[in-house]
């Protein structure tokens, strides 16, 4: 597994997604960074906050074709982005972080490619430090407050 030391002072950006187009635009901005190909991104938020929608827009912006479905029941969905693998995880159904090891997913995190994880807190003890943490808060008017935090130097580069 790639060992990444967290940065001592985190860089943070906040955004307001008023429409799905705002979500798409934020994902497209992130996809333009060349270092996205080796990033680990944690998505946090309640059910229905927009984690899967954001991931779909990110993967589309990276050139992924075909159906992009939520890995809620399969835990992980592999995709081929433009020149690198991309992995979409959903740990919602995990009850014990050791399930990551039991499922053989540690090898994916040790290998190349983009990793995007929904419900990372369910497997936190077994996951590496995320380069970016994206916290999505759904508001009553269908808007979203989004806080993006860089936890590593690569994450800081992605936020720049």
């Amino acid at each position: 597994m790639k060992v990444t030391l967290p940065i001592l002072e985190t860089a943070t950006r906040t955004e307001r997604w008023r429409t799905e187009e705002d979500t798409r635009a934020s994902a497209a901005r992130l996809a333009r960074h060349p270092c996205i190909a080796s990033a680990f991104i944690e998505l946090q938020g309640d059910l229905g906050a927009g984690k899967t929608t954001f991931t779909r827009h990110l993967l589309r912006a990276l050139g992924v074709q075909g159906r992009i479905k939520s890995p809620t029941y399969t835990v992980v969905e592999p995709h081929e982005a433009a020149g690198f693998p991309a992995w979409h995880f959903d740990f919602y159904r995990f009850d014990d972080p050791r399930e990551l090891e039991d499922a053989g997913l540690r090898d994916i995190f040790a290998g190349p490619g983009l990793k995007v994880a929904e419900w990372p807190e369910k497997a936190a003890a077994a996951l590496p430090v995320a380069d970016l943490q994206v916290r999505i808060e759904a508001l009553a008017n269908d808007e979203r407050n989004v806080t993006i935090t860089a936890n590593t130097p690569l994450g800081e580069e992605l936020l720049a």
Side-chain angles (χ1 to χ4, degrees), residues 36-39 59 62 64 78-87 111-115:
I36 192 73
S38 60
L59 293 173
L62 291 169
V64 172
H79 300 281
E80 190 58 41
F84 58 91
W87 306 90
L114 169 66
K115 289 90 175 175

Side-chain angles (χ1 to χ4, degrees), residues 70-94:
S70 174
T72 299
Y73 294 101
T74 59
V75 180
V76 62
E77 286 289 332
H79 300 281
E80 190 58 41
F84 58 91
W87 306 90
H88 180 194
F89 297 88
D90 186 330
F91 297 116
Y92 182 71
R93 300 197 181 286
F94 270 44

